[in-house]
Amino acid sequence: MARIPQDFIDQLLDRTDIVSLIDARVSLKKSGHEFAACCPFHDEKTPSFTVSPTKQFYHCFGCGAHGTAISFLMEYDRLEFRDAVEVLAQNAGLELPKDAQDSAPAGPPRDPLFDAMAFADRFYQSALRRSPAVIDYLKQRGVTGAMAKQYGLGHAPDSWDGLTRKLRDRPAAERAGLLIERDSGGYFDRFRNRLMFPIRDTRGRTIAFGGRTLGDDKAKYLNSPETPLFHKSDHMYGLFEARQALRDLPRLLVVEGYMDVIALAQHGFPNAVATLGTATTESHLTTLFRHTQEVVFCFDGDAAGVRAARKALDQSLPVMRGARRVRFLFVPDGEDPDSMVRGEDGSERFQAAIDAARPASAVLIDALTDGVSLDSPDGRATLIEKARPYVNALPPEAFRTELIGELAQLARLPADDLRAMYASAPSKSTAPVDKATREQKTRVTPVSRAMSLLFADPALARHVSDPAVLRESDSPGATILAQAIEFFASTPNVSVSQWLERYREHRFFDRLQELAATTPPGDDDSRAREFDEAIAHLGAKTASQTTLRQRYDALVAAQARGPLDATAAQELKELHHKLRSVRRNSA
C-alpha cells in the first residue's frame, strides 16, 4: 500500500461526499437519515445497501459489504488503494503530495526495493536473450517468444555473483530477497542457473521471482522469501497479465504452476493465475473476487487433488457472497493443464473441462456424505451436523439457501426446518473457518459495544474525562477505543470514515468496520447511558486488574528476597492464575 500522508487522506475524505460518489455508480434513494439502493455487490430485489452521509460510510445488510469512500472504489471499480486515492484526489481537485512514496505505511521506504527488483528483472531478461540453451528449453516446452516477453521470463546465470556485481544498492537488494548476506560479509546471488518468472503486483511492478532449476538442484522451484514487497499468501502469479489481456474477467482459473499459466495463456486462456507454493488462502480469494465473479480451481483428479480442493473450498465459503461462484475442474490422471492444453484438440478439451467444472456445492456435498449412510436416521443426522459449520460460514444469501435446499433433500427434511436448526445454537463440530476469528466477530464485549455507540455518535467522546486510563486495560481493543475517544474529542467535526482510514493496515480493521456498520438501538439518551456504563465497567475492571498486578508484583519481589511463607506462596499462585484468566477472558 502506498505511503500517503495521513493528513492528505483526511483532507481527501473531508472533500469527498460518499453519497455523491456512490450515486454516480449506483442509483440511491433517500431513506430516513440515510440513502438506500439494491446492493451493487450481490443480487437482490429488495434494497439492503445503505449509505450514511453522517458517518460517510456504506453498509449492506444482505452481504455484509461495508467501508469508506476509498473502500467502495477498491471494491466497485476494482482498484488498488493508491489508485482509489488518486481517483478521489482527481475528483476533489487535489494533487498527491510530491513526497508521497510508494512504500508501506510503516517501516523503511520501499522505493529502493522496487528499484532493485526492476533492475534484476532487466538483468534476467537480458541474460535469457544471451542463453541459447535456455531458449531451446523454452522452445521444447512449447513457449513462444511472444509469451516469454509477455510474462517477462528471464535467466539467472550459473554464477554466485552475476547479479550482485551489477547492483549498486546491495543492502536493498538483500531486503528484496535477491541476494543473501554472507556470514563473513558481502553478498551472493539467491537465484543461480534458473529460469526466472517475475511475480508482479496489480500495478505491474515486479515484487518477487520464482525460479525453476535448469540443473540438478534438489529444489525444483525456488521462490523469493517474504519481504516488505512480497507476501506469498496475498499474491497470485499471472494476475497482472490476466488483467492486461482481458478488460473484463468473467472468471479466473487457478492452477498450480507457472508453466500452466503460460501454456493456458498461449492457447487462448489468458485468465489463469497460480498460487506461489502455498495453499489458497482467504486473502487470495478476496483478491481474486475483486477482479471476477467466478473462480475455477484446477486440481489433479487423484486423492491429493481432492484434498486440495476441499481445503480451497474451506477458504472460499466465507467470501462467497452475492453472485460470487467457485467451481472445481479435476484434470485427468497423468495430465496437468500444461500438457492437457498442448495435446490434440487441447483448447477444445480444456474449454469443455471448464464448462463441466463442478460447483462448490457438489464438492462440499461429496465431502459431507463421504462415509455417511443416508439410508438411516443416524446417518442423516450426522450429515446435518457435519454441514452446520459450513452452512454457518456462508453469508445469508442465495448460495446458502441453495445449499440448505440440497441438504434438506438428502436429509429428508423440509428446508425451512433445516434452516431453523442451523439458526439455533451451533454444535461443537469443527468449523472450516478459524473459531477464534468467528467468536471475535460475534462477541459483544464492553469495548465493542462502546466503540459501536461512539461510531453512532462521536460526540459521546466528550463524556470520558480520562480516556488514557483505558490504555492500561487488558481488554482487546481498549487501546484503540481510547485512541478513538481522544480523536473524536479533539476533532469533533470529522467523519467516522476519516478515523477508520487511519487503521486500514491494523489487524482489527475489518472488525472496526463491522462496528461502524452497526446502528445501536435506542434514542440518544439511552445510547449515551449505555456508553457511560460500558466505559465505567472498563474503568472498574482496569482498576481491579491494576490492583491484582500490583499485589502480584509485590509478592514476586518478596520472593526474590527470600522464600515466601505458605500463605503468601498460595496467594502468589492464586494471583498468577487470576491474571492468566484475565488475559484469556479479557473483554
Side-chain angles (χ1 to χ4, degrees):
M1 189 177 294
R3 178 191 288 262
I4 299 174
Q6 186 60 51
D7 59 352
F8 181 80
I9 299 293
D10 290 343
Q11 182 185 14
L12 183 62
L13 292 177
D14 190 49
R15 292 196 184 188
T16 299
D17 175 25
I18 194 171
V19 174
S20 299
L21 176 77
I22 295 178
D23 190 49
R25 295 162 173 78
V26 181
S27 180
L28 297 174
K29 292 184 178 180
K30 194 79 166 63
S31 177
H33 297 295
E34 298 181 335
F35 291 82
C38 287
C39 182
F41 303 118
H42 80 284
D43 295 328
E44 62 177 6
K45 296 180 180 179
T46 303
S48 61
F49 180 83
T50 63
V51 184
S52 169
T54 304
K55 294 181 181 179
Q56 288 291 297
F57 193 82
Y58 69 89
H59 174 67
C60 176
F61 293 94
C63 69
H66 49 231
T68 67
I70 295 175
S71 300
F72 183 82
L73 287 182
M74 291 174 68
E75 190 79 11
Y76 188 84
D77 288 1
R78 301 175 184 176
L79 302 177
E80 295 300 309
F81 175 82
R82 185 185 180 92
D83 299 325
V85 169
E86 289 176 349
V87 169
L88 291 180
Q90 184 177 10
N91 292 346
L94 297 174
E95 291 186 7
L96 287 178
K98 293 182 180 180
D99 59 348
Q101 303 173 26
D102 259 347
S103 58
R110 299 195 300 175
D111 277 353
L113 278 66
F114 278 120
D115 291 343
M117 298 302 289
F119 182 91
D121 206 354
R122 295 191 297 270
F123 174 83
Y124 293 141
Q125 290 187 47
S126 177
L128 174 61
R129 292 193 291 270
R130 300 192 305 272
S131 307
V134 183
I135 293 174
D136 287 343
Y137 169 81
L138 289 173
K139 288 180 179 178
Q140 291 171 13
R141 294 295 302 266
V143 178
T144 66
M147 282 293 106
K149 181 178 181 180
Q150 179 178 333
Y151 283 86
L153 302 189
H155 174 227
D158 191 7
S159 167
W160 287 94
D161 61 356
L163 177 62
T164 300
R165 286 185 287 107
K166 298 288 186 180
L167 287 163
R168 292 183 179 179
D169 192 343
R170 292 170 187 170
E174 188 272 336
R175 294 199 306 276
L178 294 167
L179 308 181
I180 298 175
E181 188 172 9
R182 299 180 186 273
D183 293 338
S184 58
Y187 301 89
F188 63 92
D189 293 6
R190 178 180 297 275
F191 299 99
R192 301 177 302 280
N193 194 30
R194 289 181 179 271
L195 177 63
M196 300 299 287
F197 300 83
I199 299 164
R200 297 158 171 163
D201 65 13
T202 52
R203 296 178 64 184
R205 299 171 299 186
T206 298
I207 55 174
F209 287 96
R212 187 196 189 283
T213 183
L214 296 170
D216 56 1
D217 300 75
K218 292 182 179 179
K220 183 177 180 181
Y221 280 95
L222 177 65
N223 286 333
S224 292
E226 297 275 314
T227 72
L229 303 183
F230 174 62
H231 303 286
K232 63 183 179 181
S233 62
D234 293 338
H235 296 284
M236 307 287 287
Y237 176 73
L239 181 56
F240 170 75
E241 289 80 4
R243 290 182 63 202
Q244 292 294 107
L246 297 172
R247 177 67 183 88
D248 294 315
L249 289 165
R251 68 173 60 91
L252 281 166
L253 310 172
V254 181
V255 296
E256 295 187 89
Y258 302 127
M259 292 301 293
D260 291 330
V261 171
I262 294 173
L264 288 173
Q266 187 168 311
H267 289 80
F269 303 93
N271 54 331
V273 299
T275 54
L276 303 167
T278 183
T280 307
T281 66
E282 188 173 328
S283 179
H284 284 140
L285 269 298
T286 299
T287 298
L288 293 174
F289 278 129
R290 187 178 294 167
H291 304 285
T292 189
Q293 290 295 303
E294 182 179 73
V295 173
V296 178
F297 287 101
C298 304
F299 290 111
D300 294 339
D302 57 12
V306 172
R307 288 194 299 270
R310 291 179 180 177
K311 289 181 180 179
L313 177 63
D314 287 350
Q315 298 299 316
S316 303
L317 294 180
V319 296
M320 284 179 64
R321 65 170 190 251
R324 294 175 176 179
R325 287 292 180 268
V326 169
R327 295 193 292 141
F328 294 87
L329 185 163
F330 293 99
V331 179
D333 287 346
E335 291 196 90
D336 56 29
D338 183 358
S339 63
M340 187 175 177
V341 80
R342 294 185 191 281
E344 185 177 355
D345 298 325
S347 296
E348 291 79 7
R349 285 182 62 215
F350 198 77
Q351 182 60 58
I354 293 174
D355 295 339
R358 304 191 71 202
S361 60
V363 175
L364 179 56
I365 293 294
D366 283 350
L368 294 174
T369 56
D370 187 17
V372 175
S373 172
L374 299 179
D375 293 329
S376 69
D378 286 348
R380 294 193 292 273
T382 298
L383 170 65
I384 291 170
E385 287 308 309
K386 284 180 67 175
R388 182 190 293 271
Y390 293 89
V391 171
N392 289 341
L394 287 165
E397 299 179 41
F399 181 70
R400 188 173 190 268
T401 301
E402 294 168 7
L403 180 59
I404 289 176
E406 292 185 39
L407 290 168
Q409 288 185 347
L410 293 173
R412 303 178 191 176
L413 286 174
D416 287 343
D417 289 357
L418 189 56
R419 189 175 297 107
M421 291 175 64
Y422 288 142
S424 64
S427 71
K428 296 181 180 179
S429 302
T430 301
V433 293
D434 182 71
K435 181 181 178 182
T437 300
R438 189 173 60 254
E439 287 182 349
Q440 180 187 39
K441 288 183 177 181
T442 56
R443 288 178 66 196
V444 179
T445 68
V447 170
S448 60
R449 186 163 63 250
M451 191 73 81
S452 64
L453 290 163
L454 182 64
F455 286 154
D457 183 7
L460 293 175
R462 296 196 295 270
H463 288 213
V464 185
S465 58
D466 186 14
V469 173
L470 296 174
R471 296 176 183 269
E472 301 176 12
S473 172
D474 287 334
S475 296
T479 298
I480 299 178
L481 173 60
Q483 292 168 352
I485 291 171
E486 291 166 351
F487 178 83
F488 289 118
S490 61
T491 51
N493 296 320
V494 298
S495 65
V496 170
S497 67
Q498 286 176 264
W499 184 85
L500 282 171
E501 282 297 340
R502 295 168 179 266
Y503 289 83
R504 180 169 286 276
E505 290 298 290
H506 197 282
R507 64 192 181 99
F508 288 154
F509 181 63
D510 288 342
R511 178 58 174 150
L512 291 170
Q513 289 198 109
E514 289 175 1
L515 294 173
T518 62
T519 302
D523 55 23
D524 291 346
D525 290 340
S526 64
R527 288 199 293 263
R529 285 194 300 273
E530 188 178 1
F531 179 78
D532 292 343
E533 289 169 0
I535 297 298
H537 174 85
L538 287 167
K541 189 174 182 182
T542 300
S544 175
Q545 292 165 2
T546 301
T547 301
L548 287 176
R549 282 195 295 267
Q550 289 173 345
R551 178 56 180 161
Y552 178 80
D553 292 343
L555 288 172
V556 169
Q559 187 180 51
R561 295 190 294 269
L564 299 175
D565 60 36
T567 302
Q570 180 62 28
E571 183 184 3
L572 178 61
K573 183 178 180 180
E574 291 174 356
L575 284 171
H576 177 70
H577 285 301
K578 285 182 180 179
L579 288 172
R580 286 187 62 186
S581 178
V582 165
R583 285 192 291 271
R584 282 196 305 267
N585 303 316
S586 57

